[in-house]
Amino acid sequence: MLHRMTLLVLLGTAAWASSEDAARKVLAARCWACHAQTEMGGLRLDSREAMLRGGKSGPAMIAGRSEESRMYQAVARNKPGVMPMPPGPPLKPVEIETLRKWIDEGAPWRDESAHWAYRPLRSPAATESIDHWLDRAHAAKGVTPNAAADRRTLIRRVWFDLTGLPPSEEEFRRAFEDARPDWFARLVDQLLTSPHFGEKWARHWLDVARYGENDFTGTEVVNYPNAWRYRDWVVEAINRDLPYDRFLMAQLAGDLMDDRSLLPATGLLGLGPWYYGIAQPAQSRADERNDRVDMVTRGMLGVTVACARCHDHKYDPFSIHEYYALAGVFASTAYEEYPLVPESEAGEWRKRKAEVDAAAKALNKFLDDEARALADAFAPRIAQYMLAASGPAETAGLVEKIVERWKNYLAKPEDKHPFLAEWFTNAGPETAQQFQDLKLEINREKREIDEENRRIVEDARKKAPPVERTIVLPGGYRSEEDFNPGADIPAKSLERDRFVAWNRIFGEGSAPLKFDRELTAELLPADRRGEYERLKTAHEDLKAALPPKYPFLHGAAEFTPWDLQLHKRGSPEDLGETVARGFPAVLANGKALKFTQGSGRMELARTVAHHPLAARVAVNRFWLALFGEGIVATPSNYGSTGDRPAVPDLLEYLAGRFAAQGYSMKAMIREIMLSEAYQRTSAAHSASDAIDAANRTFWRQNRRRLDAEPLLDAMLAVSGELDRTGGGESKPLNEAFVRRSLYAKTSRFQQDETLSLFDLPSALVTCEQRVVTTVPLQKLFLLNSGMVARRAEALGKRIARTDRGEGIEAAYRLLFHRAPTAEEAVLGRGFLDSAGGNLWPQYAWVLLSSNEFTYVD
């Protein structure tokens, strides 16, 4: 009876939520732009109380009576005297009906703090288990769970899931022949202590952490040479089973904790992404803060607080004020490089590097000044060079390289400005002289405008308040100072056609009178060469004597505490009230939580790490990694638009167990793997498929394709080439790369094509779940890649036997841990005997490209 009552309550709640959710979506899409925080007409439509209270025209809604509600009358446009809403296109009939039905049902509006995902964790009873809750779900659904998989399948499954590698023949044999009743638990325990466990499971977290080893500044790529130290810390932390709450805290505030071994963890923040000068400094810094808010709230808590950057969240109870309260924590956090050598050594290097930079700056300024002088010197000879470039003419005393540039320039149809039209129709000394006179005039005008703009910028800077917060990014980039100075100050310019005419001669990289530093050095007059040689030698000597930079950590540190002003509609140029640093109230038992200790990172770290959402998100991701599908199908969205848990009691049990076990990642993964659910076959079953085709009650295991990294690693393992050395500096992924793919360079600017082909996510944003695509290019890669060819060549040598049958047997044992079927043996022998020469590499290539090799059952 109790179960029936519970079911009725749940069904009623689902229907209630459905009506409300549908109404919320209509209000969010069509009404909240004017009637949320902007309160046009004094009316808000983003809470039940506000709608009942109404605005200047009285209550907007009378719960249970839609026909008498002004809100309904306005959208239905059926009441004289009531202004039709919204302005512009009316609501669709289905939207109007949605609001009518919702009001007539009493306008339900749930208590957001009671949302299932925000509730406290519960302590599981001793009688509960994973299979206990799944058995109940299966019975309720009427599905019959699959039986346990055979031993071969389980051994391969657990090896790939825990280490990302296939077992060797000997490792497989030992597990397969283990006759003890707890053989599987022993195998799981063995692999949980493998150093390869951390390598496999670090990759799951690095996707969430949007780990990357460089960023794009807008003009060049900045590499982070020590980024790998954060990656190695993650591997090491997982291998030693650092409690998950401490794992999260270290990444947000490791520099403020009592254990200096946690300092590399702050690479989560220190490694960016950073946006340098790809927008105005205020916009770039705001975008960086938004990334941190998004990474922490979606990546750690499974909520989309970043959606409140421009306005109150349209579906979840996060206000724009709460967004800027959280963003203020990251505004009060600085990028920091922590030397791994004594400070005296690091300080000496920085001093010498400053000398190198000063010498380079002096050399470049000299060359830039001389380049302008050369342009001024060559400009009065434009006509002479034009005539020399256009046909037989006197070239004595002319610079050959400059003549060639003029030839290239005049050979192109002039389509960007009209000043060469006369030349193209009547080339000769007179038109050349006219063109020269015009260019001299435009060049003088450009110089005058440049000088005037320089004064404008200088005056504006004198009047502007001093920059209070100079933010330094990796590579020593100083946000306000290194961004194009004066770019945000209105300035004068040449008329468009005159500017293009100037640019084509003096400004572009290949322009005839654009002198780059190399050409400038070559054409220096004799009286200036001595100074050039002095500056060049000084720079080269200092640079040659500078040793490589000391090892360091990319991390985070405290900055001057800064409460941000609210950015109206997300614009850092349109500021509102100041918002104290803090945490969303709905995630803090409905009470405003303010941060007052420094930046607030330590307070944030404690709050996040021990929040019920953090545990729910973590165990769901563990389940996702082991089943290919989460209990919550939207692993980073536990809000109203996210998926509800497929088996709610199972998720609550796992989250409670996780906290009760001291946040041990290994213990949680072990418990999942020892469940009957994990060990089931992945075979289809027509009766259960008809009821639960999506397998949301996990009545079977899911067949999964290997991710990009395990696929390449498995090829190296079976070919005998894999270098299992852990840690260290990243290297480019190419045919000669024989370490685990985890140790390949990870670029934000240009992703590796091979890994991306097999769905490696972008390192620009947090990714909680990889998409799995099946596209022709994947198979073409397997059939044509030089990387696969090299693995096949090595594998061919491993399996080659004089006796074809023995070689085929060896191949199947090595790759699939089974004997070939009679048909497979016949096909293999037929292929190997089909032509002269050594066909073992080609045979190995076929097997490496097979579905059985790329999938795990």
Side-chain angles (χ1 to χ4, degrees):
M1 183 66 176
L2 178 61
H3 295 322
R4 288 189 62 192
M5 289 295 293
T6 301
L7 180 60
L8 289 172
V9 170
L10 289 173
L11 289 173
T13 302
W16 195 260
S18 175
S19 167
E20 178 192 342
D21 287 344
R24 278 177 181 264
K25 289 179 180 178
V26 174
L27 292 169
R30 301 302 304 276
C31 306
W32 286 354
C34 298
H35 296 293
Q37 65 263 33
T38 52
E39 297 189 28
M40 291 190 67
L43 174 63
R44 293 188 70 135
L45 299 177
D46 56 353
S47 78
R48 191 174 192 273
E49 292 72 19
M51 287 183 270
L52 293 171
R53 183 174 61 250
K56 296 177 181 178
S57 301
M61 176 188 69
I62 301 174
R65 292 182 284 176
S66 61
E67 296 293 338
E68 300 174 37
S69 299
R70 291 183 67 88
M71 181 171 69
Y72 175 73
Q73 295 167 355
V75 298
R77 306 189 178 208
N78 62 0
K79 182 76 172 180
V82 175
M83 181 180 296
M85 285 288 169
L91 267 60
K92 299 175 183 177
V94 66
E95 294 174 321
I96 297 171
E97 176 60 19
T98 294
L99 292 179
R100 185 199 64 75
K101 179 181 177 183
W102 171 67
I103 295 172
D104 285 342
E105 288 179 355
W109 199 266
R110 63 183 170 268
D111 175 8
E112 298 292 0
S113 63
H115 183 58
W116 67 268
Y118 307 155
R119 296 170 186 162
L121 299 177
R122 65 174 180 83
S123 299
T127 56
E128 295 181 62
S129 69
I130 292 170
D131 294 312
H132 164 79
W133 289 115
L134 284 179
D135 287 346
R136 294 179 62 149
H138 298 151
K141 273 278 190 181
V143 298
T144 302
N146 281 3
D150 60 81
R151 183 171 288 210
R152 168 191 166 272
T153 298
L154 286 178
I155 294 171
R156 286 175 56 82
R157 183 186 296 171
V158 75
W159 264 90
F160 274 110
D161 281 348
L162 287 183
T163 71
L165 295 169
S168 68
E169 290 182 81
E170 177 57 25
E171 289 164 335
F172 178 83
R173 185 192 63 76
R174 283 201 303 268
F176 194 81
E177 295 177 357
D178 188 344
R180 290 170 292 188
D182 61 346
W183 72 271
F184 187 71
R186 288 174 176 271
L187 178 59
V188 170
D189 290 340
Q190 170 199 330
L191 296 180
L192 284 171
T193 63
S194 166
H196 300 310
F197 170 75
E199 293 173 327
K200 170 64 166 63
W201 283 78
R203 185 64 262 180
H204 295 309
W205 176 254
L206 293 175
D207 284 359
V208 175
R210 78 276 188 263
Y211 170 72
E213 298 178 27
N214 61 24
D215 275 313
F216 185 59
T217 68
T219 57
E220 62 181 352
V221 175
V222 174
N223 292 309
Y224 305 144
N226 289 272
W228 58 271
R229 298 183 189 277
Y230 169 73
R231 178 205 65 206
D232 283 359
W233 178 86
V234 174
V235 173
E236 184 269 340
I238 292 174
N239 271 333
R240 66 183 172 98
D241 202 18
L242 182 69
Y244 185 72
D245 58 341
R246 197 160 176 82
F247 179 76
L248 294 184
M249 288 179 65
Q251 294 179 77
L252 292 175
D255 56 308
L256 304 176
M257 296 172 71
D258 55 2
D259 183 350
R260 298 304 285 176
S261 72
L262 300 177
L263 198 55
T266 60
L268 176 79
L269 302 177
L271 288 171
W274 299 102
Y275 301 129
Y276 292 94
I278 60 178
Q280 289 285 348
Q283 185 66 53
S284 290
R285 307 294 78 80
D287 290 344
E288 289 158 0
R289 294 191 292 268
N290 184 71
D291 162 81
R292 277 58 166 176
V293 170
D294 186 54
M295 193 280 133
V296 171
T297 59
R298 278 205 306 129
M300 296 181 179
L301 298 175
V303 287
T304 56
V305 175
C307 291
R309 178 182 182 179
C310 305
H311 48 70
D312 289 350
H313 199 297
K314 290 191 174 184
Y315 303 109
D316 292 327
F318 305 121
S319 71
I320 189 172
H321 292 79
E322 290 173 321
Y323 170 89
Y324 285 98
L326 196 52
V329 174
F330 302 108
S332 305
T333 301
Y335 169 77
E336 184 74 15
E337 292 181 357
Y338 292 98
L340 297 175
V341 297
E343 178 55 35
S344 58
E345 181 180 336
E348 177 62 22
W349 186 91
R350 288 193 291 266
K351 175 185 174 183
R352 294 173 65 177
K353 178 63 164 60
E355 293 171 350
V356 173
D357 292 343
K361 185 176 181 179
L363 174 62
N364 290 335
K365 181 181 184 304
F366 172 84
L367 289 172
D368 292 342
D369 290 344
E370 293 300 317
R372 284 189 288 272
L374 285 171
D376 289 342
F378 278 90
R381 304 179 66 186
I382 286 177
Q384 189 178 359
Y385 274 96
M386 290 178 72
L387 294 172
S390 61
E394 180 59 48
T395 61
L398 301 184
V399 177
E400 184 178 346
K401 287 185 178 180
I402 305 299
V403 173
E404 288 300 315
R405 287 187 173 193
W406 277 104
K407 286 181 179 179
N408 293 332
Y409 173 63
L410 295 175
K412 298 175 183 177
E414 187 57 45
D415 58 356
K416 292 188 177 179
H417 67 82
F419 300 117
L420 270 182
E422 181 67 21
W423 168 267
F424 285 130
T425 58
N426 185 27
E430 185 176 347
T431 51
Q433 185 62 44
Q434 291 172 355
F435 187 74
Q436 174 181 298
D437 293 343
L438 177 64
K439 288 296 180 178
L440 290 171
E441 177 189 327
I442 293 175
N443 195 36
R444 281 193 299 272
E445 185 182 352
K446 177 71 164 56
R447 292 287 176 84
E448 291 169 359
I449 289 176
D450 287 348
E451 176 57 25
E452 186 174 358
N453 285 333
R454 186 193 65 76
R455 289 196 299 270
I456 291 172
V457 170
E458 186 175 320
D459 291 343
R461 284 189 163 184
K462 288 178 180 178
K463 295 175 184 177
V467 176
E468 297 179 3
R469 306 176 60 84
T470 298
I471 299 172
V472 181
L473 278 56
Y477 183 96
R478 301 175 71 85
S479 176
E480 276 69 20
E481 293 150 14
D482 289 348
F483 182 78
N484 187 10
D488 56 342
I489 299 172
K492 297 182 179 182
S493 66
L494 285 169
E495 183 272 329
R496 185 227 177 240
D497 281 346
R498 290 173 75 83
F499 172 78
V500 172
W502 176 88
N503 198 44
R504 291 288 300 271
I505 301 299
F506 298 98
E508 294 178 343
S510 60
L513 299 187
K514 169 66 175 178
F515 294 91
D516 57 38
R517 288 167 182 164
E518 182 179 351
L519 184 58
T520 299
E522 183 180 331
L523 299 180
L524 281 174
D527 62 339
R528 303 297 292 155
R529 183 155 296 280
E531 178 65 5
Y532 166 69
E533 292 296 342
R534 184 187 69 79
L535 292 170
K536 179 184 176 186
T537 299
H539 174 250
E540 289 178 346
D541 289 348
L542 288 169
K543 186 176 180 181
L546 182 71
K549 186 173 182 177
Y550 52 85
F552 63 90
L553 301 172
H554 302 274
E558 291 291 85
F559 203 23
T560 307
W562 186 18
D563 288 334
L564 288 173
Q565 287 178 270
L566 184 146
H567 297 178
K568 297 177 182 178
R569 297 188 179 275
S571 171
E573 306 298 332
D574 188 5
L575 302 178
E577 64 190 273
T578 299
V579 183
R581 301 186 306 288
F583 195 70
V586 74
L587 302 182
N589 299 317
K591 299 179 182 178
L593 180 59
K594 302 301 180 186
F595 295 150
T596 59
Q597 300 172 12
S599 67
R601 273 188 302 124
M602 193 68 233
E603 295 161 286
L604 175 65
R606 292 193 190 100
T607 303
V608 167
H610 300 107
H611 198 281
L613 273 170
R616 290 185 176 105
V617 167
V619 297
N620 188 62
R621 290 202 178 123
F622 299 158
W623 192 276
L624 166 65
L626 296 172
F627 283 83
E629 185 75 29
I631 302 168
V632 178
T634 53
S636 285
N637 185 359
Y638 283 46
S640 60
T641 61
D643 183 55
R644 290 185 63 83
V647 186
D649 289 320
L650 173 61
L651 182 69
E652 293 309 297
Y653 165 76
L654 291 172
R657 280 281 288 171
F658 189 42
Q661 292 175 326
Y663 296 98
S664 167
M665 291 184 266
K666 288 189 176 182
M668 190 79 266
I669 292 166
R670 182 182 192 273
E671 182 169 348
I672 295 173
M673 296 188 111
L674 294 186
S675 69
E676 293 177 4
Y678 175 80
Q679 297 175 48
R680 292 189 178 110
T681 72
S682 60
H685 186 281
S686 57
S688 294
D689 272 334
I691 300 170
D692 183 13
N695 191 31
R696 295 301 290 133
T697 57
F698 305 99
W699 55 269
R700 60 176 171 83
Q701 180 58 271
N702 293 305
R703 190 166 189 253
R704 289 167 281 148
R705 194 189 72 194
L706 292 175
D707 285 337
E709 298 94 333
L711 176 59
L712 297 186
D713 294 350
M715 289 184 182
L716 282 168
V718 299
S719 71
E721 300 171 285
L722 181 62
D723 176 358
R724 296 172 184 256
T725 305
E729 188 174 351
S730 302
K731 300 294 182 183
L733 182 66
N734 52 36
E735 294 176 19
F737 186 86
V738 293
R739 299 188 66 203
R740 295 200 66 169
S741 303
L742 178 74
Y743 301 118
K745 283 187 177 295
T746 303
S747 173
R748 289 199 179 105
F749 173 64
Q750 187 172 17
Q751 284 186 280
D752 180 82
E753 293 180 358
T754 298
L755 295 176
S756 298
L757 190 60
F758 289 91
D759 306 316
L760 178 76
S762 168
L764 287 168
V765 293
T766 178
C767 174
E768 70 283 354
Q769 183 174 13
R770 294 191 182 188
V771 298
V772 180
T773 63
T774 302
V775 296
L777 286 176
Q778 293 165 353
K779 189 58 72 175
L780 290 172
F781 168 81
L782 294 173
L783 294 176
N784 297 287
S785 165
M787 188 179 294
V788 181
R790 183 161 177 162
R791 306 292 88 88
E793 183 73 28
L795 176 58
K797 293 176 181 178
R798 286 194 79 181
I799 62 176
R801 303 286 192 280
T802 302
D803 184 310
R804 299 279 199 259
E806 288 183 6
I808 293 169
E809 287 271 353
Y812 273 75
R813 286 196 309 272
L814 188 59
L815 272 69
F816 310 127
H817 302 95
R818 66 175 177 84
T821 64
E823 182 182 10
E824 288 167 337
V826 169
L827 288 171
R829 188 182 292 275
F831 174 78
L832 292 166
D833 291 340
S834 62
N838 177 20
L839 294 181
W840 285 108
Q842 290 90 330
Y843 179 66
W845 201 332
V846 171
L847 297 182
L848 289 175
S849 304
S850 66
N851 272 1
E852 186 171 358
F853 186 76
T854 57
Y855 279 80
V856 175
D857 287 322

